Each structure stands twice: as C-alpha cells, then as structure tokens.
Amino acid sequence: TALMAKSVVHETHPQYIGLYLGAMSEDYVRETVEEADCVLALGAWMTDINLGIYTAKIDNEALIDAGADRVRIRHHTFNNVYLGDFIEGLGAALAARPAESPRDNTAIRPATRALTDAFTVKPDGAITIARFYARVNHFLDDKSIVLADAGDSFLCAGDLVMHETAGFISQA
C-alpha cells in the first residue's frame, strides 16, 4: 500500500509486503513494485507523499491506475468508469485460485518484522525516533487506532504495524 492508504489492507496478512514510498521504501517492497509486470493502483493518489517525494519508478506501461471515476491504462483514459464497478468487474473476470505466497519466501523481510524483533530496554541509551517507533509497535494490537498528526509523525508512523483495517487516521 501507499502511505496515504495505510491500514486499508491488514498489515499482518501473510501476503502484505509493506508500504511503497519510492526510494524511501524497503528494498524488497521497492523492487517488488518497480519490477512488477503489472501494478494495479486502486484509488491511490499519485502525490509527492505516496510517491516518496517523487522518487517512485513505476513503469507507466505496467500501470493500471483506477481512480474514483476513471481508469488509466498506458496512454488511454476511460472516463465514467467508477472504482467500485471496476473492482467488481475485475473480480468477476478473474478466475478463483488459491492465494500465493510472495516470491522467494526465504528472502522476504516481512512488513511485520518489527513485531518479531525483540526490543531490548536500554535504560542509559538515548531515545531515538527509530527506537521510539520500534517500542510503540509492541504496544499496538488489533484494537488500536493510531492518530498521526501531519508532518514527521505521519511519515514516521509508516513504520508502525497496523493489525486491523481503518486503524490509522491522519490528516495528510
């Protein structure tokens, strides 16, 4: 997902790979998105925030960008195609098949690694932003809602793992 769509997809789902923020993404996420044969953007806003301050390298030839009332495929725009109708039609056209695991499971740096990495208390250590957010991850659960103010708290909150959909609110 993109940062402005944080928590739309369960971030603890085994097929969730993380946030895409262009060059600011983790390598695995960036490579998976930028090397994909097809990127399906459903309601994603192509903004400076979602595109990692314009560092995204998504090939327009591989992009299907479905917005609220239009779909763009390569250099073609189809107006009056509504997002809900597009998703419903896409779902009906796709053959049902079992879910696949992400590529090469041994190479995955899971989006939820923050939950599996042990947090060691360092009473005499400095409180850094990275350690603060790493610690907060261990307090969040499926009933948590994070309200992030615009700016640094919003950008850094991308490192928080949301357990349920609609658990992240920001005025971005």
Side-chain angles (χ1 to χ4, degrees):
T1 59
L3 184 57
M4 293 175 69
K6 185 162 180 61
S7 84
V8 169
V9 174
H10 288 265
E11 296 179 10
T12 56
H13 189 282
Q15 292 179 307
Y16 179 79
I17 62 167
L19 287 175
Y20 178 73
L21 290 164
M24 296 189 298
S25 307
E26 291 190 45
D27 290 342
Y28 176 76
V29 175
R30 184 184 45 73
E31 290 167 5
T32 300
V33 171
E34 293 177 358
E35 295 172 9
D37 294 330
C38 180
V39 174
L40 182 58
L42 299 173
W45 294 349
M46 300 302 185
T47 66
D48 56 342
I49 297 295
N50 277 345
L51 298 176
I53 317 301
Y54 298 111
T55 60
K57 292 186 173 134
I58 299 173
D59 183 2
N60 277 332
E61 297 296 312
L63 178 64
I64 297 174
D65 181 15
D69 61 354
R70 54 99 190 110
V71 174
R72 291 187 189 133
I73 303 172
R74 293 189 176 140
H75 304 289
H76 306 285
T77 300
F78 304 92
N79 293 310
N80 300 320
V81 177
Y82 298 96
L83 184 58
D85 295 336
F86 179 75
I87 293 171
E88 189 175 292
L90 187 62
L94 294 174
R97 64 180 190 171
E100 294 177 14
S101 295
R103 65 182 178 160
D104 186 12
N105 286 334
T106 60
I108 293 176
R109 259 184 101 183
T112 56
R113 80 179 180 287
L115 304 180
T116 58
D117 289 352
F119 185 87
T120 305
V121 176
K122 298 178 183 175
D124 297 327
I127 297 174
T128 64
I129 292 172
R131 283 189 51 79
F132 173 79
Y133 281 94
R135 186 66 182 130
V136 169
N137 263 319
H138 292 280
F139 289 104
L140 299 176
D141 61 22
D142 61 353
K143 293 177 179 53
S144 298
I145 296 175
V146 172
L147 243 92
D149 196 10
D152 290 346
S153 63
F154 169 62
L155 293 172
C156 292
D159 291 335
L160 297 176
V161 177
M162 303 310 304
H163 297 254
E164 295 288 333
T165 56
F168 183 78
I169 300 169
S170 179
Q171 60 184 2

Short mmCIF file of all heavy atoms in Angstrom, two decimals, residues 49-111:
data_model
loop_
_atom_site.label_atom_id
_atom_site.label_comp_id
_atom_site.label_asym_id
_atom_site.label_seq_id
_atom_site.Cartn_x
_atom_site.Cartn_y
_atom_site.Cartn_z
N ILE A 49 3.74 12.53 -1.47
CA ILE A 49 3.85 11.66 -0.29
C ILE A 49 3.80 10.19 -0.72
O ILE A 49 4.65 9.40 -0.35
CB ILE A 49 2.73 11.95 0.72
CG1 ILE A 49 2.83 13.37 1.26
CG2 ILE A 49 2.73 10.93 1.85
CD1 ILE A 49 4.06 13.66 2.08
N ASN A 50 2.80 9.81 -1.49
CA ASN A 50 2.66 8.42 -1.89
C ASN A 50 3.78 7.96 -2.82
O ASN A 50 4.05 6.77 -2.91
CB ASN A 50 1.31 8.17 -2.56
CG ASN A 50 0.21 7.93 -1.56
OD1 ASN A 50 0.46 7.66 -0.38
ND2 ASN A 50 -1.02 8.02 -2.01
N LEU A 51 4.40 8.88 -3.51
CA LEU A 51 5.45 8.52 -4.45
C LEU A 51 6.85 8.77 -3.89
O LEU A 51 7.82 8.85 -4.64
CB LEU A 51 5.25 9.28 -5.77
CG LEU A 51 3.94 8.98 -6.49
CD1 LEU A 51 3.78 9.86 -7.73
CD2 LEU A 51 3.84 7.51 -6.86
N GLY A 52 6.95 8.87 -2.57
CA GLY A 52 8.27 9.02 -1.95
C GLY A 52 8.97 10.29 -2.37
O GLY A 52 10.14 10.25 -2.75
N ILE A 53 8.27 11.40 -2.32
CA ILE A 53 8.78 12.71 -2.76
C ILE A 53 9.28 12.57 -4.21
O ILE A 53 10.38 12.95 -4.56
CB ILE A 53 9.87 13.26 -1.82
CG1 ILE A 53 9.50 13.07 -0.35
CG2 ILE A 53 10.16 14.73 -2.12
CD1 ILE A 53 8.21 13.74 0.10
N TYR A 54 8.43 11.97 -5.01
CA TYR A 54 8.63 11.80 -6.46
C TYR A 54 9.85 10.95 -6.81
O TYR A 54 10.51 11.19 -7.82
CB TYR A 54 8.66 13.15 -7.19
CG TYR A 54 7.36 13.89 -7.04
CD1 TYR A 54 7.27 15.06 -6.29
CD2 TYR A 54 6.20 13.40 -7.62
CE1 TYR A 54 6.07 15.72 -6.14
CE2 TYR A 54 4.98 14.06 -7.47
CZ TYR A 54 4.92 15.22 -6.73
OH TYR A 54 3.74 15.87 -6.58
N THR A 55 10.15 9.95 -5.99
CA THR A 55 11.25 9.04 -6.29
C THR A 55 10.74 7.70 -6.82
O THR A 55 11.53 6.80 -7.09
CB THR A 55 12.12 8.78 -5.04
OG1 THR A 55 11.30 8.19 -4.02
CG2 THR A 55 12.76 10.07 -4.54
N ALA A 56 9.43 7.57 -6.97
CA ALA A 56 8.85 6.31 -7.46
C ALA A 56 9.26 6.07 -8.90
O ALA A 56 9.40 7.01 -9.69
CB ALA A 56 7.33 6.36 -7.37
N LYS A 57 9.46 4.80 -9.21
CA LYS A 57 9.83 4.42 -10.57
C LYS A 57 8.88 3.32 -11.03
O LYS A 57 9.29 2.19 -11.27
CB LYS A 57 11.28 3.96 -10.62
CG LYS A 57 12.24 5.09 -10.36
CD LYS A 57 13.67 4.67 -10.55
CE LYS A 57 14.54 5.90 -10.42
NZ LYS A 57 15.68 5.72 -9.62
N ILE A 58 7.61 3.68 -11.15
CA ILE A 58 6.60 2.74 -11.63
C ILE A 58 6.46 2.96 -13.13
O ILE A 58 6.15 4.07 -13.58
CB ILE A 58 5.25 2.95 -10.92
CG1 ILE A 58 5.41 2.73 -9.42
CG2 ILE A 58 4.20 2.00 -11.50
CD1 ILE A 58 4.18 3.06 -8.61
N ASP A 59 6.69 1.92 -13.89
CA ASP A 59 6.62 1.99 -15.35
C ASP A 59 5.18 2.22 -15.78
O ASP A 59 4.30 1.43 -15.48
CB ASP A 59 7.16 0.69 -15.94
CG ASP A 59 7.19 0.67 -17.45
OD1 ASP A 59 6.84 1.70 -18.09
OD2 ASP A 59 7.58 -0.38 -18.00
N ASN A 60 4.92 3.32 -16.49
CA ASN A 60 3.56 3.61 -16.97
C ASN A 60 3.00 2.51 -17.87
O ASN A 60 1.80 2.34 -17.98
CB ASN A 60 3.51 4.96 -17.69
CG ASN A 60 3.38 6.11 -16.72
OD1 ASN A 60 2.84 5.96 -15.63
ND2 ASN A 60 3.90 7.26 -17.10
N GLU A 61 3.89 1.78 -18.53
CA GLU A 61 3.45 0.68 -19.40
C GLU A 61 2.91 -0.48 -18.56
O GLU A 61 2.18 -1.32 -19.06
CB GLU A 61 4.59 0.21 -20.29
CG GLU A 61 5.09 1.27 -21.25
CD GLU A 61 4.03 1.69 -22.27
OE1 GLU A 61 3.41 0.82 -22.87
OE2 GLU A 61 3.84 2.92 -22.43
N ALA A 62 3.28 -0.54 -17.29
CA ALA A 62 2.85 -1.63 -16.41
C ALA A 62 1.75 -1.19 -15.45
O ALA A 62 1.24 -2.00 -14.68
CB ALA A 62 4.04 -2.15 -15.61
N LEU A 63 1.36 0.08 -15.50
CA LEU A 63 0.44 0.64 -14.52
C LEU A 63 -1.01 0.66 -15.01
O LEU A 63 -1.29 1.13 -16.11
CB LEU A 63 0.87 2.07 -14.17
CG LEU A 63 -0.01 2.84 -13.19
CD1 LEU A 63 -0.02 2.18 -11.82
CD2 LEU A 63 0.46 4.28 -13.10
N ILE A 64 -1.90 0.16 -14.18
CA ILE A 64 -3.35 0.35 -14.35
C ILE A 64 -3.77 1.19 -13.16
O ILE A 64 -3.71 0.75 -12.02
CB ILE A 64 -4.12 -0.98 -14.39
CG1 ILE A 64 -3.66 -1.82 -15.58
CG2 ILE A 64 -5.63 -0.72 -14.43
CD1 ILE A 64 -4.27 -3.22 -15.62
N ASP A 65 -4.16 2.43 -13.42
CA ASP A 65 -4.48 3.39 -12.37
C ASP A 65 -5.99 3.64 -12.38
O ASP A 65 -6.51 4.33 -13.24
CB ASP A 65 -3.71 4.69 -12.64
CG ASP A 65 -3.97 5.75 -11.59
OD1 ASP A 65 -4.50 5.42 -10.50
OD2 ASP A 65 -3.62 6.93 -11.84
N ALA A 66 -6.67 3.04 -11.40
CA ALA A 66 -8.13 3.18 -11.31
C ALA A 66 -8.46 4.18 -10.21
O ALA A 66 -8.15 3.95 -9.03
CB ALA A 66 -8.76 1.83 -11.01
N GLY A 67 -9.06 5.29 -10.60
CA GLY A 67 -9.45 6.33 -9.65
C GLY A 67 -10.94 6.28 -9.38
O GLY A 67 -11.63 5.33 -9.76
N ALA A 68 -11.44 7.30 -8.73
CA ALA A 68 -12.85 7.34 -8.34
C ALA A 68 -13.79 7.20 -9.54
O ALA A 68 -14.80 6.51 -9.45
CB ALA A 68 -13.15 8.64 -7.59
N ASP A 69 -13.45 7.85 -10.66
CA ASP A 69 -14.38 7.84 -11.79
C ASP A 69 -13.69 7.69 -13.14
O ASP A 69 -14.21 8.09 -14.17
CB ASP A 69 -15.21 9.12 -11.79
CG ASP A 69 -14.37 10.37 -11.93
OD1 ASP A 69 -13.12 10.28 -11.92
OD2 ASP A 69 -14.96 11.47 -12.04
N ARG A 70 -12.50 7.09 -13.14
CA ARG A 70 -11.79 6.87 -14.39
C ARG A 70 -10.73 5.79 -14.21
O ARG A 70 -10.28 5.53 -13.11
CB ARG A 70 -11.17 8.14 -14.95
CG ARG A 70 -10.24 8.87 -13.99
CD ARG A 70 -8.78 8.59 -14.23
NE ARG A 70 -7.96 9.11 -13.17
CZ ARG A 70 -7.32 8.35 -12.30
NH1 ARG A 70 -7.43 7.06 -12.35
NH2 ARG A 70 -6.57 8.86 -11.37
N VAL A 71 -10.35 5.17 -15.33
CA VAL A 71 -9.28 4.18 -15.33
C VAL A 71 -8.28 4.59 -16.40
O VAL A 71 -8.68 4.91 -17.53
CB VAL A 71 -9.81 2.75 -15.61
CG1 VAL A 71 -8.67 1.76 -15.74
CG2 VAL A 71 -10.78 2.32 -14.52
N ARG A 72 -7.00 4.59 -16.03
CA ARG A 72 -5.94 4.89 -16.99
C ARG A 72 -5.10 3.63 -17.19
O ARG A 72 -4.64 3.03 -16.23
CB ARG A 72 -5.03 6.01 -16.48
CG ARG A 72 -5.70 7.34 -16.44
CD ARG A 72 -4.69 8.43 -16.07
NE ARG A 72 -5.41 9.66 -15.84
CZ ARG A 72 -5.25 10.46 -14.81
NH1 ARG A 72 -4.34 10.17 -13.91
NH2 ARG A 72 -5.96 11.54 -14.67
N ILE A 73 -4.94 3.27 -18.47
CA ILE A 73 -4.10 2.15 -18.84
C ILE A 73 -3.17 2.65 -19.94
O ILE A 73 -3.64 3.05 -21.02
CB ILE A 73 -4.92 0.94 -19.33
CG1 ILE A 73 -5.91 0.51 -18.25
CG2 ILE A 73 -4.01 -0.21 -19.74
CD1 ILE A 73 -6.90 -0.56 -18.70
N ARG A 74 -1.91 2.66 -19.63
CA ARG A 74 -0.89 3.23 -20.52
C ARG A 74 -1.26 4.66 -20.87
O ARG A 74 -1.37 5.49 -20.00
CB ARG A 74 -0.68 2.34 -21.73
CG ARG A 74 -0.07 1.01 -21.34
CD ARG A 74 0.34 0.21 -22.54
NE ARG A 74 1.00 -1.01 -22.11
CZ ARG A 74 0.81 -2.17 -22.68
NH1 ARG A 74 -0.02 -2.29 -23.71
NH2 ARG A 74 1.44 -3.23 -22.24
N HIS A 75 -1.50 4.95 -22.15
CA HIS A 75 -1.80 6.32 -22.56
C HIS A 75 -3.29 6.53 -22.81
O HIS A 75 -3.68 7.51 -23.42
CB HIS A 75 -0.99 6.67 -23.83
CG HIS A 75 0.47 6.46 -23.65
ND1 HIS A 75 1.24 7.29 -22.85
CD2 HIS A 75 1.32 5.51 -24.10
CE1 HIS A 75 2.50 6.85 -22.85
NE2 HIS A 75 2.57 5.78 -23.60
N HIS A 76 -4.09 5.62 -22.31
CA HIS A 76 -5.54 5.70 -22.53
C HIS A 76 -6.25 5.99 -21.22
O HIS A 76 -5.92 5.41 -20.18
CB HIS A 76 -6.06 4.39 -23.11
CG HIS A 76 -5.34 3.96 -24.35
ND1 HIS A 76 -5.53 4.55 -25.57
CD2 HIS A 76 -4.40 3.01 -24.55
CE1 HIS A 76 -4.76 3.99 -26.47
NE2 HIS A 76 -4.04 3.04 -25.87
N THR A 77 -7.22 6.88 -21.27
CA THR A 77 -8.04 7.19 -20.11
C THR A 77 -9.49 6.85 -20.44
O THR A 77 -10.01 7.25 -21.48
CB THR A 77 -7.95 8.69 -19.74
OG1 THR A 77 -6.57 8.99 -19.43
CG2 THR A 77 -8.81 9.01 -18.54
N PHE A 78 -10.10 6.09 -19.56
CA PHE A 78 -11.50 5.70 -19.71
C PHE A 78 -12.29 6.40 -18.62
O PHE A 78 -12.21 6.05 -17.44
CB PHE A 78 -11.64 4.18 -19.61
CG PHE A 78 -10.78 3.45 -20.61
CD1 PHE A 78 -9.50 3.02 -20.27
CD2 PHE A 78 -11.25 3.20 -21.89
CE1 PHE A 78 -8.70 2.36 -21.19
CE2 PHE A 78 -10.45 2.54 -22.83
CZ PHE A 78 -9.17 2.13 -22.47
N ASN A 79 -13.02 7.47 -19.02
CA ASN A 79 -13.81 8.24 -18.07
C ASN A 79 -15.12 7.54 -17.76
O ASN A 79 -15.57 6.67 -18.51
CB ASN A 79 -14.08 9.65 -18.63
CG ASN A 79 -12.80 10.45 -18.72
OD1 ASN A 79 -12.03 10.54 -17.77
ND2 ASN A 79 -12.54 11.03 -19.89
N ASN A 80 -15.74 7.95 -16.67
CA ASN A 80 -17.01 7.39 -16.22
C ASN A 80 -16.95 5.89 -15.94
O ASN A 80 -17.94 5.19 -16.07
CB ASN A 80 -18.14 7.71 -17.21
CG ASN A 80 -18.32 9.21 -17.37
OD1 ASN A 80 -18.26 9.95 -16.38
ND2 ASN A 80 -18.50 9.66 -18.60
N VAL A 81 -15.78 5.42 -15.57
CA VAL A 81 -15.61 4.06 -15.07
C VAL A 81 -15.35 4.23 -13.58
O VAL A 81 -14.32 4.76 -13.17
CB VAL A 81 -14.43 3.32 -15.74
CG1 VAL A 81 -14.25 1.94 -15.14
CG2 VAL A 81 -14.64 3.25 -17.25
N TYR A 82 -16.30 3.83 -12.77
CA TYR A 82 -16.23 4.08 -11.34
C TYR A 82 -15.47 2.96 -10.63
O TYR A 82 -15.57 1.80 -10.99
CB TYR A 82 -17.64 4.27 -10.78
CG TYR A 82 -18.29 5.47 -11.43
CD1 TYR A 82 -19.14 5.33 -12.52
CD2 TYR A 82 -17.98 6.76 -10.98
CE1 TYR A 82 -19.68 6.44 -13.14
CE2 TYR A 82 -18.53 7.87 -11.60
CZ TYR A 82 -19.37 7.71 -12.67
OH TYR A 82 -19.90 8.81 -13.29
N LEU A 83 -14.71 3.36 -9.62
CA LEU A 83 -13.81 2.45 -8.93
C LEU A 83 -14.51 1.19 -8.45
O LEU A 83 -14.03 0.07 -8.67
CB LEU A 83 -13.12 3.17 -7.77
CG LEU A 83 -12.06 2.37 -7.00
CD1 LEU A 83 -10.95 1.89 -7.92
CD2 LEU A 83 -11.48 3.22 -5.88
N GLY A 84 -15.65 1.34 -7.80
CA GLY A 84 -16.38 0.17 -7.31
C GLY A 84 -16.80 -0.75 -8.43
O GLY A 84 -16.67 -1.98 -8.32
N ASP A 85 -17.27 -0.20 -9.53
CA ASP A 85 -17.66 -1.00 -10.68
C ASP A 85 -16.44 -1.70 -11.29
O ASP A 85 -16.52 -2.86 -11.70
CB ASP A 85 -18.34 -0.14 -11.75
CG ASP A 85 -19.66 0.45 -11.28
OD1 ASP A 85 -20.27 -0.13 -10.36
OD2 ASP A 85 -20.06 1.49 -11.83
N PHE A 86 -15.33 -0.98 -11.35
CA PHE A 86 -14.10 -1.56 -11.91
C PHE A 86 -13.63 -2.74 -11.08
O PHE A 86 -13.31 -3.81 -11.61
CB PHE A 86 -13.00 -0.49 -11.99
CG PHE A 86 -11.70 -1.01 -12.53
CD1 PHE A 86 -11.54 -1.27 -13.88
CD2 PHE A 86 -10.63 -1.26 -11.67
CE1 PHE A 86 -10.33 -1.75 -14.38
CE2 PHE A 86 -9.43 -1.75 -12.16
CZ PHE A 86 -9.28 -2.00 -13.51
N ILE A 87 -13.61 -2.57 -9.76
CA ILE A 87 -13.16 -3.65 -8.87
C ILE A 87 -14.11 -4.84 -8.96
O ILE A 87 -13.67 -5.99 -9.05
CB ILE A 87 -13.05 -3.14 -7.42
CG1 ILE A 87 -11.90 -2.14 -7.32
CG2 ILE A 87 -12.84 -4.31 -6.45
CD1 ILE A 87 -11.83 -1.41 -5.98
N GLU A 88 -15.40 -4.57 -9.00
CA GLU A 88 -16.39 -5.66 -9.12
C GLU A 88 -16.21 -6.41 -10.44
O GLU A 88 -16.20 -7.64 -10.48
CB GLU A 88 -17.80 -5.08 -9.03
CG GLU A 88 -18.89 -6.11 -8.92
CD GLU A 88 -20.23 -5.45 -8.72
OE1 GLU A 88 -20.44 -4.87 -7.64
OE2 GLU A 88 -21.08 -5.52 -9.64
N GLY A 89 -16.03 -5.68 -11.54
CA GLY A 89 -15.84 -6.31 -12.84
C GLY A 89 -14.53 -7.08 -12.91
O GLY A 89 -14.47 -8.17 -13.49
N LEU A 90 -13.49 -6.53 -12.31
CA LEU A 90 -12.20 -7.20 -12.29
C LEU A 90 -12.31 -8.51 -11.51
O LEU A 90 -11.83 -9.55 -11.95
CB LEU A 90 -11.14 -6.29 -11.67
CG LEU A 90 -9.70 -6.75 -11.69
CD1 LEU A 90 -9.21 -6.90 -13.13
CD2 LEU A 90 -8.83 -5.75 -10.94
N GLY A 91 -12.97 -8.45 -10.37
CA GLY A 91 -13.16 -9.65 -9.56
C GLY A 91 -13.94 -10.73 -10.29
O GLY A 91 -13.61 -11.92 -10.21
N ALA A 92 -14.96 -10.31 -11.02
CA ALA A 92 -15.77 -11.28 -11.77
C ALA A 92 -14.99 -11.89 -12.93
O ALA A 92 -15.21 -13.04 -13.30
CB ALA A 92 -17.04 -10.60 -12.28
N ALA A 93 -14.06 -11.12 -13.50
CA ALA A 93 -13.31 -11.60 -14.66
C ALA A 93 -12.13 -12.51 -14.27
O ALA A 93 -11.66 -13.28 -15.10
CB ALA A 93 -12.78 -10.41 -15.46
N LEU A 94 -11.67 -12.38 -13.05
CA LEU A 94 -10.53 -13.19 -12.62
C LEU A 94 -10.98 -14.56 -12.16
O LEU A 94 -11.96 -14.69 -11.44
CB LEU A 94 -9.78 -12.49 -11.47
CG LEU A 94 -9.09 -11.19 -11.83
CD1 LEU A 94 -8.53 -10.54 -10.57
CD2 LEU A 94 -7.98 -11.42 -12.84
N ALA A 95 -10.25 -15.56 -12.55
CA ALA A 95 -10.56 -16.92 -12.12
C ALA A 95 -10.13 -17.09 -10.67
O ALA A 95 -9.08 -16.59 -10.26
CB ALA A 95 -9.82 -17.93 -13.00
N ALA A 96 -10.94 -17.77 -9.90
CA ALA A 96 -10.59 -18.04 -8.50
C ALA A 96 -9.41 -19.00 -8.45
O ALA A 96 -9.34 -19.95 -9.23
CB ALA A 96 -11.79 -18.63 -7.77
N ARG A 97 -8.49 -18.73 -7.57
CA ARG A 97 -7.35 -19.63 -7.38
C ARG A 97 -6.82 -19.41 -5.96
O ARG A 97 -7.05 -18.36 -5.36
CB ARG A 97 -6.26 -19.39 -8.41
CG ARG A 97 -5.63 -18.03 -8.34
CD ARG A 97 -4.57 -17.88 -9.40
NE ARG A 97 -3.83 -16.66 -9.13
CZ ARG A 97 -2.76 -16.31 -9.74
NH1 ARG A 97 -2.27 -17.08 -10.68
NH2 ARG A 97 -2.14 -15.20 -9.45
N PRO A 98 -6.12 -20.39 -5.45
CA PRO A 98 -5.61 -20.23 -4.09
C PRO A 98 -4.60 -19.08 -4.02
O PRO A 98 -3.90 -18.80 -4.99
CB PRO A 98 -4.94 -21.56 -3.77
CG PRO A 98 -4.92 -22.34 -5.04
CD PRO A 98 -5.77 -21.65 -6.05
N ALA A 99 -4.55 -18.46 -2.88
CA ALA A 99 -3.60 -17.36 -2.68
C ALA A 99 -2.18 -17.89 -2.75
O ALA A 99 -1.89 -18.98 -2.29
CB ALA A 99 -3.84 -16.70 -1.32
N GLU A 100 -1.32 -17.11 -3.38
CA GLU A 100 0.09 -17.48 -3.49
C GLU A 100 0.89 -16.71 -2.44
O GLU A 100 0.53 -15.60 -2.07
CB GLU A 100 0.63 -17.12 -4.87
CG GLU A 100 0.00 -17.91 -5.99
CD GLU A 100 0.51 -17.48 -7.36
OE1 GLU A 100 1.53 -16.78 -7.41
OE2 GLU A 100 -0.12 -17.84 -8.35
N SER A 101 1.96 -17.30 -2.02
CA SER A 101 2.87 -16.60 -1.11
C SER A 101 3.70 -15.64 -1.93
O SER A 101 3.91 -15.86 -3.12
CB SER A 101 3.78 -17.60 -0.41
OG SER A 101 3.01 -18.44 0.41
N PRO A 102 4.20 -14.59 -1.30
CA PRO A 102 5.11 -13.69 -2.01
C PRO A 102 6.32 -14.45 -2.52
O PRO A 102 6.64 -15.53 -2.04
CB PRO A 102 5.50 -12.67 -0.95
CG PRO A 102 4.42 -12.74 0.07
CD PRO A 102 3.94 -14.16 0.06
N ARG A 103 6.99 -13.88 -3.51
CA ARG A 103 8.13 -14.54 -4.14
C ARG A 103 9.22 -14.88 -3.14
O ARG A 103 9.46 -14.16 -2.19
CB ARG A 103 8.68 -13.67 -5.26
CG ARG A 103 9.25 -12.37 -4.74
CD ARG A 103 9.75 -11.49 -5.86
NE ARG A 103 10.22 -10.27 -5.23
CZ ARG A 103 11.03 -9.44 -5.78
NH1 ARG A 103 11.45 -9.64 -6.99
NH2 ARG A 103 11.42 -8.36 -5.16
N ASP A 104 9.86 -15.98 -3.36
CA ASP A 104 11.02 -16.45 -2.62
C ASP A 104 10.92 -16.14 -1.12
O ASP A 104 11.54 -15.21 -0.61
CB ASP A 104 12.29 -15.83 -3.20
CG ASP A 104 13.56 -16.39 -2.56
OD1 ASP A 104 13.47 -17.40 -1.84
OD2 ASP A 104 14.62 -15.80 -2.78
N ASN A 105 10.13 -16.93 -0.43
CA ASN A 105 9.87 -16.68 1.00
C ASN A 105 11.13 -16.52 1.85
O ASN A 105 11.10 -15.87 2.88
CB ASN A 105 9.03 -17.82 1.57
CG ASN A 105 7.61 -17.73 1.12
OD1 ASN A 105 7.13 -16.65 0.81
ND2 ASN A 105 6.92 -18.84 1.07
N THR A 106 12.23 -17.10 1.44
CA THR A 106 13.43 -17.01 2.25
C THR A 106 14.05 -15.62 2.20
O THR A 106 14.79 -15.23 3.10
CB THR A 106 14.48 -18.04 1.79
OG1 THR A 106 14.81 -17.77 0.42
CG2 THR A 106 13.97 -19.44 1.94
N ALA A 107 13.75 -14.84 1.16
CA ALA A 107 14.34 -13.51 1.02
C ALA A 107 13.46 -12.41 1.58
O ALA A 107 13.85 -11.26 1.60
CB ALA A 107 14.61 -13.23 -0.46
N ILE A 108 12.28 -12.76 2.05
CA ILE A 108 11.34 -11.73 2.49
C ILE A 108 11.78 -11.09 3.80
O ILE A 108 12.13 -11.78 4.74
CB ILE A 108 9.93 -12.32 2.66
CG1 ILE A 108 9.37 -12.72 1.31
CG2 ILE A 108 8.99 -11.32 3.33
CD1 ILE A 108 8.04 -13.40 1.40
N ARG A 109 11.77 -9.80 3.81
CA ARG A 109 11.88 -9.06 5.06
C ARG A 109 10.46 -8.66 5.38
O ARG A 109 9.95 -7.69 4.84
CB ARG A 109 12.71 -7.80 4.85
CG ARG A 109 14.12 -7.91 5.32
CD ARG A 109 14.81 -6.61 5.15
NE ARG A 109 14.88 -5.90 6.41
CZ ARG A 109 15.41 -4.70 6.50
NH1 ARG A 109 15.86 -4.08 5.45
NH2 ARG A 109 15.47 -4.11 7.66
N PRO A 110 9.75 -9.42 6.19
CA PRO A 110 8.31 -9.18 6.36
C PRO A 110 8.01 -7.79 6.92
O PRO A 110 8.78 -7.25 7.71
CB PRO A 110 7.86 -10.28 7.31
CG PRO A 110 9.08 -10.74 7.98
CD PRO A 110 10.24 -10.47 7.06
N ALA A 111 6.88 -7.26 6.49
CA ALA A 111 6.44 -5.95 6.98
C ALA A 111 6.24 -5.99 8.49
O ALA A 111 6.33 -4.97 9.15
CB ALA A 111 5.15 -5.55 6.28
#
